[in-house]
Structure formats: C-alpha cells, structure tokens
Amino acid sequence: QVQLVESGGGLVQAGGSLRLSCAASGIIFSINTGGWYRQAPGKQHELVAAITSGGITVYTESVKGRFTISRDNAKNTIYLQMNSLKPEDTNVYYCHVRRVSPSNDYDYWGQGTQVTVSS
C-alpha cells in the first residue's frame, strides 16, 4: 500500500534551481524519517538530505548551503529545493522513508527522478 511518487526532475544549466517533490501514501512522513538519495550505476549510494519526525535535518557536505529539505504535513509530501546546481549534481534522485518499529525496520523507495545539470 505504500507508494512514494516523485516529480520535479529535469535539465537545467549550472547555477540553476530545481525543486523535487515526493508525495506519499500509506505512510506518514511527519512521524517517520524521510530523505533523498542519489546513486550512479555500480557506485555507492549517497544520502543527500534527510528530515526526521522531529524536524532535524542533515545534509551531505557537498550540498550544504545549496540544498534544503522540507516537509508539508498537510500534503504528506517532502521536497528538496536545489539551488546553485553543479554538473556533479547530475544523478537520479530517489525519495526514501524508513519506518522503525520494535519488531523490524521498513524501507520504502520512490521510482527516482532524473536531474541533469549542464555546463
């Protein structure tokens, strides 16, 4: 029943901006930890940004000061505002939610959205 639907990717020039969206059903962002990952084929994944149920945010060093993760509880949606984009930001970005329970942890992933930054 859990679905994460991503949107907002595209092609932009270096220095431009994009806003990614991830709308969830079957799971509530505000009581779980949500975030964004990126991963090239055959390479290690990278946590780009995350936001906890308490509103604590974390970012990978390379995007600090440029990207902002946020949450709209009424829409059950998280966003990634990406400013001052660089060609090295080019990747497929995946929305992720982790639900923690006493018996097990559950991970859910969006379909991915392509971000391409040209020089």
Side-chain angles (χ1 to χ4, degrees):
Q1 289 277 68
V2 174
Q3 291 191 36
L4 305 177
V5 180
E6 301 179 35
S7 62
L11 173 64
V12 297
Q13 291 184 320
S17 298
L18 286 172
R19 189 179 75 158
L20 307 183
S21 299
C22 178
S25 61
I27 191 167
I28 301 174
F29 276 123
S30 64
I31 59 173
N32 296 284
T33 296
W36 297 88
Y37 286 79
R38 61 191 182 189
Q39 184 177 5
K43 298 182 180 179
Q44 181 66 52
H45 72 274
E46 177 184 38
L47 175 64
V48 179
I51 182 167
T52 71
S53 61
I56 298 171
T57 58
V58 295
Y59 301 90
T60 190
E61 189 67 29
S62 64
V63 309
K64 288 181 179 178
R66 300 188 297 120
F67 291 10
T68 303
I69 188 170
S70 62
R71 182 176 65 216
D72 186 330
N73 294 339
K75 296 181 179 180
N76 199 25
T77 298
I78 61 169
Y79 304 91
L80 186 66
Q81 179 67 46
M82 304 184 293
N83 298 326
S84 301
L85 282 162
K86 304 175 180 179
E88 50 262 47
D89 295 319
T90 295
N91 217 311
V92 178
Y93 285 72
Y94 295 90
C95 180
H96 170 261
V97 177
R98 168 164 284 192
R99 179 172 65 84
V100 177
S101 70
S103 59
N104 208 351
D105 297 340
Y106 300 89
D107 294 282
Y108 304 96
W109 295 89
Q111 81 279 9
T113 186
Q114 177 71 46
V115 172
T116 303
V117 184
S118 65
S119 59

